[in-house]
Amino acid sequence: MEITLTELKENLGKYILMSQEEDILVTKNGKVVSRLTEPFSARKEKMEKKRAAKKLVGSIGGDYTSLDEIRAERLGKK
């Protein structure tokens, strides 16, 4: 998102909260002069979660099981 410096001054609290979800680019005279972004620790945590999820992909070996086969197996056990 891109906003002017004046807009930032008038609504600082709003943009601080929004910066936790997305980067806010601040412009002055049409040029980007600053960026509000989430804290490093929150960004690092998201990156670690993505890395962990990627490690899980393909970790279950064996043949491909279709969704229908999984459903049939679950219903058969109940």
Side-chain angles (χ1 to χ4, degrees):
M1 170 182 283
E2 195 170 296
I3 60 168
T4 64
L5 184 56
T6 303
E7 176 69 17
L8 177 65
K9 288 178 185 179
E10 292 173 359
N11 299 293
L12 181 60
K14 170 185 167 183
Y15 290 113
I16 293 293
L17 291 174
M18 288 178 68
S19 70
Q20 294 172 0
E21 300 298 322
E22 64 179 301
D23 288 352
I24 309 289
L25 299 176
V26 182
T27 63
K28 181 178 180 181
N29 298 326
K31 295 183 180 180
V32 176
V33 294
S34 185
R35 178 176 69 185
L36 296 175
T37 188
E38 65 185 314
F40 177 75
S41 60
R43 186 168 293 208
K44 183 179 176 183
E45 186 178 317
K46 283 183 184 178
M47 288 172 47
E48 288 174 359
K49 286 180 182 179
K50 284 182 183 179
R51 232 179 275 126
K54 285 182 180 180
K55 286 181 182 179
L56 292 175
V57 172
S59 64
I60 299 175
D63 297 330
Y64 171 78
T65 305
S66 73
L67 189 54
D68 291 332
E69 292 171 330
I70 293 170
R71 283 188 185 123
E73 184 179 332
R74 276 186 35 210
L75 293 173
K77 288 185 178 181
K78 285 186 178 181

